[in-house]
C-alpha cells in the first residue's frame, strides 16, 4: 500500500505524511484569515472554504519541497490512501452530525425534495458530464453529481469508486472549481435569499435565474465544455 520514504527509526513514513497534512491545515487556517480581511460576502465565503484553502496550502508546500529538492519524501500512493480515508471519515461524520429528531419530524418533505433534486441533478450532471471533452469525463461526472447533491468531499468520494488511486485529475479539478462556483453563484444566492426574505417577487426571481441559466449555457458552449458526447452509460 505504501513505499517508505523516510528512515523509520527516525520518523515513520505515515507519521511524516500526516505531519505534512497538519502543516497544510495550519497554513489553510492562515489563508482563511487572510481571505476574511476581504470585505463583504466574497471574503466571508472564501474564508469558509477550508477544503479549497487546504489545496492552496498543499500546492505551496509541494512547490517549496520541489525547490528544495526534497519532494522525494512524498509518496503519492500513501497520500491517496490517507485522502480516501479522510474523505470517508468526513462523510460519515456529516451524517452523524444530523439530528435524528429534526429529520424524523420533517421526514416526508425531506425525502420528497431530495428525490426530486437528485433526479434533476442526475439528468443535468450526466448530460453535461458526457460532453466536457476529456478521456475521464465519467469521473468528472460522478464528482459533479456528488458536489451538486452534497459538497466537494461527497464528489471526491464518488470519484474514488471509479478512480481509487486518483490517476485522473478529476478530484483536483473538483476542488479547484470551488472558487469559480462561489463567485459566479453570488447572484443566485442573492436572488434566492432575497425572494425568501420577501425582497423580490416570484416572477422577478425566476426571470433573473432563467437569464443567468442562459448566460451559463452560452459560457459552457463558448469554452468547449458543452461539446460532443464522449461516453455512453450502459
Amino acid at each position: 500500500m505504501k513505499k517508505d520514504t523516510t528512515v523509520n527509526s527516525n520518523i515513520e513514513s505515515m507519521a511524516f505524511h500526516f505531519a505534512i497534512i497538519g502543516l497544510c491545515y495550519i497554513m489553510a487556517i492562515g489563508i482563511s484569515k487572510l481571505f476574511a480581511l476581504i470585505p463583504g460576502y466574497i471574503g466571508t465565503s472564501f474564508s469558509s472554504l477550508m477544503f479549497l484553502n487546504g489545496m492552496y496550502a498543499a500546492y505551496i508546500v509541494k512547490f517549496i519541497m520541489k525547490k528544495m529538492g526534497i519532494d522525494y519524501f512524498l509518496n503519492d500512493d500513501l497520500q491517496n490512501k490517507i485522502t480516501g480515508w479522510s474523505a470517508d471519515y468526513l462523510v460519515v461524520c456529516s451524517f452523524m452530525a444530523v439530528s435524528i429528531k429534526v429529520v424524523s419530524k420533517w421526514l416526508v418533505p425531506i425525502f420528497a425534495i431530495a428525490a426530486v433534486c437528485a433526479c434533476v441533478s442526475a439528468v443535468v450532471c450526466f448530460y453535461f458530464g458526457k460532453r466536457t471533452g476529456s478521456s475521464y469525463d465519467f469521473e468528472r461526472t460522478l464528482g459533479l453529481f456528488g458536489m451538486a447533491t452534497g459538497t466537494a468531499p461527497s464528489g471526491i468520494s464518488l470519484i474514488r469508486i471509479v478512480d481509487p488511486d486518483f490517476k485522473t485529475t478529476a478530484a483536483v479539478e473538483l476542488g479547484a472549481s470551488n472558487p469559480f462556483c462561489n463567485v459566479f453563484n453570488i447572484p443566485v444566492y442573492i436572488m434566492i435569499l432575497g425572494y425568501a426574505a420577501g425582497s423580490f417577487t416570484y416572477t422577478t426571481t425566476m426571470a433573473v435565474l432563467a437569464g443567468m441559466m442562459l448566460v451559463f449555457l452560452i459560457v459552457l458552449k463558448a469554452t468547449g465544455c458543452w461539446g460532443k458526447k464522449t461516453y455512453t452509460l450502459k
Side-chain angles (χ1 to χ4, degrees):
M1 290 178 61
K2 72 178 182 71
K3 176 183 178 181
D4 287 331
T5 58
T6 60
V7 178
N8 289 334
S9 59
N10 293 327
I11 181 171
E12 212 280 330
S13 291
M14 183 173 287
F16 174 79
H17 282 74
F18 270 103
I20 293 295
I21 294 173
L23 174 63
C24 292
Y25 178 73
I26 294 173
M27 292 177 60
I29 294 175
I31 293 173
S32 294
K33 289 183 177 180
L34 290 176
F35 277 131
L37 298 177
I38 301 174
Y41 172 83
I42 295 179
T44 303
S45 178
F46 275 62
S47 65
S48 64
L49 295 174
M50 281 296 293
F51 176 79
L52 181 63
N53 296 335
M55 287 186 59
Y56 292 149
Y59 285 134
I60 294 172
V61 169
K62 195 163 188 178
F63 174 79
I64 293 175
M65 292 183 70
K66 283 185 176 180
K67 287 297 182 180
M68 295 176 64
I70 58 173
D71 57 309
Y72 60 87
F73 283 121
L74 297 175
N75 178 252
D76 290 339
D77 291 333
L78 176 56
Q79 195 65 60
N80 288 338
K81 293 297 182 182
I82 295 174
T83 301
W85 167 80
S86 59
D88 288 347
Y89 191 77
L90 176 61
V91 171
V92 172
C93 289
S94 299
F95 278 113
M96 296 304 295
V98 177
S99 172
I100 301 298
K101 185 177 181 180
V102 174
V103 172
S104 60
K105 182 179 180 181
W106 300 95
L107 194 62
V108 174
I110 287 175
F111 269 100
I113 294 173
V116 172
C117 291
C119 290
V120 173
S121 297
V123 171
V124 174
C125 291
F126 279 84
Y127 174 82
F128 287 102
K130 296 177 182 179
R131 295 165 170 81
T132 56
S134 76
S135 58
Y136 50 91
D137 276 356
F138 184 64
E139 288 82 353
R140 283 177 167 177
T141 300
L142 289 181
L144 183 63
F145 177 72
M147 188 164 67
T149 54
T151 60
S154 305
I156 292 177
S157 295
L158 292 183
I159 292 174
R160 283 184 55 241
I161 296 174
V162 294
D163 184 18
D165 297 323
F166 295 111
K167 294 181 179 179
T168 70
T169 59
V172 176
E173 293 172 355
L174 191 68
S177 69
N178 273 269
F180 299 98
C181 293
N182 278 274
V183 170
F184 290 107
N185 280 337
I186 288 176
V188 177
Y189 300 149
I190 292 175
M191 293 307 301
I192 293 176
L193 294 176
Y195 172 69
S199 300
F200 303 118
T201 64
Y202 176 80
T203 303
T204 301
T205 303
M206 294 303 295
V208 173
L209 293 178
M212 290 188 61
M213 184 175 67
L214 179 61
V215 171
F216 289 154
L217 290 175
I218 294 173
V219 172
L220 286 174
K221 198 69 176 178
T223 55
C225 294
W226 183 8
K228 295 181 179 179
K229 186 187 297 185
T230 56
Y231 73 88
T232 303
L233 290 177
K234 296 182 179 180

